Amino acid sequence: MHLQGTFQFLLLAISLTVASEKATCDSEPKTNTCNIVTCGLPGSNGLPGRDGNQGPKGEKGDQGQRGTLGPPGKVGPVGIKGEQGSLGPRGPKGDKGDIQELISLKAQITVLQEQISTLKAFISKHIKVMKLSGIRSMEEKWFMVAASEGTFEEGKKICSHVGAPLAAPQNARENGALQELAQQFNKNIFLDISDEKAEGKFLYWNGQTVRYTNWASEEPNGGRKENCVEIYANGQWNDQLCSEKRLIVCQL
Ligand code: MMA
Ligand code: CA
């Protein structure tokens, strides 16, 4: 029994060895003819093969987590100016003003008022002096007695020394001022009005047509003889001989 078992074991071992040699040789290249040379130990692994072709695209992955907040972008262009807003609420009542400042301002006003009064009195006196000297002052026009008497031409010459014409009233107020001078000096005054160039057409010294007049009744009546104009103490006008001597009043 024992020998038979051993023998069977050996047969099995031989058959297994042959089977394994056959199996090994079948995988060898055909040039290694296992038929003649008994196969040796297995060779070492060869070099890794080349990379295979790219596989197909995988499925879309799940959405990643939200990233952190990025840096702020660049400042945009300036926008269009908006409409004016509505009036804000009334602010709180301010502090009470400095009482000392008010007292100081009042004192300054008092000083100024006194100075104005002094100036007014000063001017008033000067106007009186001017009136006695034969001067009448209006807003923009002054009349000034320049000579007690003279012909029309003499009078024009006197006034021309200061670049002034003879007096020529252009309204009732100015006429009244000249009337005062005629009364004051008790003399008629030559006006810088004449119709020497064209009979009956009275013009000022500068050639402008006379608009305001205050002729006495029946005047002008002198025709070509009376080409100059005088003002009476009653304020009325008369055309007169230019050679007559009258009070000379200049207009400044
Ligand atoms: C004078 C003379 C005239 C004037 C008359 C007015 C007599 O002439 O001044 O110019 O018109 O008086 O009566
Ligand atoms: Ca006359």
Side-chain angles (χ1 to χ4, degrees):
M1 262 318 271
H2 186 73
L3 279 173
Q4 194 185 353
T6 305
F7 181 69
Q8 281 176 341
F9 176 74
L10 279 172
L11 279 176
L12 182 66
I14 289 162
S15 63
L16 278 174
T17 304
V18 171
S20 79
E21 277 173 5
K22 254 191 172 176
T24 309
C25 283
D26 286 348
S27 63
E28 291 289 320
K30 285 191 172 170
T31 44
N32 294 343
T33 50
C34 283
N35 300 342
I36 304 164
V37 181
T38 316
C39 290
L41 292 171
S44 57
N45 285 338
L47 293 171
R50 280 183 295 175
D51 290 345
N53 291 333
Q54 190 166 15
K57 192 175 177 181
E59 283 180 38
K60 193 176 179 182
D62 295 333
Q63 189 172 7
Q65 281 184 323
R66 190 183 178 87
T68 51
L69 191 73
K74 277 193 279 186
V75 180
V78 179
I80 306 161
K81 191 179 178 182
E83 284 177 40
Q84 187 169 8
S86 54
L87 199 67
R90 194 185 178 88
K93 197 176 176 184
D95 292 334
K96 202 175 177 184
D98 188 356
I99 193 86
Q100 282 307 118
E101 198 176 1
L102 280 175
I103 291 166
S104 167
L105 283 169
K106 269 191 172 181
Q108 286 177 57
I109 289 168
T110 305
V111 169
L112 284 169
Q113 281 172 332
E114 284 167 1
Q115 288 177 337
I116 289 167
S117 297
T118 309
L119 271 172
K120 274 184 172 176
F122 185 78
I123 290 166
S124 177
K125 271 188 188 179
H126 273 260
I127 289 172
K128 284 174 185 171
V129 170
M130 281 162 60
K131 281 186 171 180
L132 284 172
S133 307
I135 297 168
R136 291 296 182 281
S137 60
M138 287 140 288
E139 286 75 36
E140 289 185 356
K141 192 179 277 190
W142 285 31
F143 293 137
M144 181 184 176
V145 173
S148 59
E149 62 174 35
T151 63
F152 180 75
E153 287 303 323
E154 286 167 348
K156 284 189 74 70
K157 195 176 178 186
I158 290 165
C159 294
S160 71
H161 288 144
V162 288
L166 285 168
Q170 287 180 291
N171 53 53
R173 185 174 148 76
E174 291 176 7
N175 201 72
L178 275 178
Q179 184 186 345
E180 272 184 32
L181 286 174
Q183 288 173 354
Q184 186 181 338
F185 289 84
N186 199 26
K187 278 184 180 175
N188 295 347
I189 303 165
F190 268 135
L191 305 181
D192 213 330
I193 293 170
S194 146
D195 71 338
E196 235 170 354
K197 283 191 175 175
E199 174 54 35
K201 196 180 179 187
F202 288 90
L203 306 170
Y204 291 116
W205 74 99
N206 59 10
Q208 284 189 334
T209 307
V210 173
R211 305 216 177 274
Y212 170 80
T213 60
N214 196 35
W215 296 113
S217 70
E218 310 295 325
E219 304 297 346
N221 62 358
R224 290 195 178 276
K225 283 187 179 177
E226 298 178 334
N227 296 328
C228 288
V229 181
E230 65 181 346
I231 178 172
Y232 296 141
N234 67 2
Q236 292 186 322
W237 299 6
N238 171 44
D239 61 338
Q240 185 56 275
L241 298 169
C242 297
S243 55
E244 289 287 316
K245 289 185 183 280
R246 295 291 183 261
L247 186 69
I248 300 304
V249 177
C250 304
Q251 178 172 298
L252 297 161

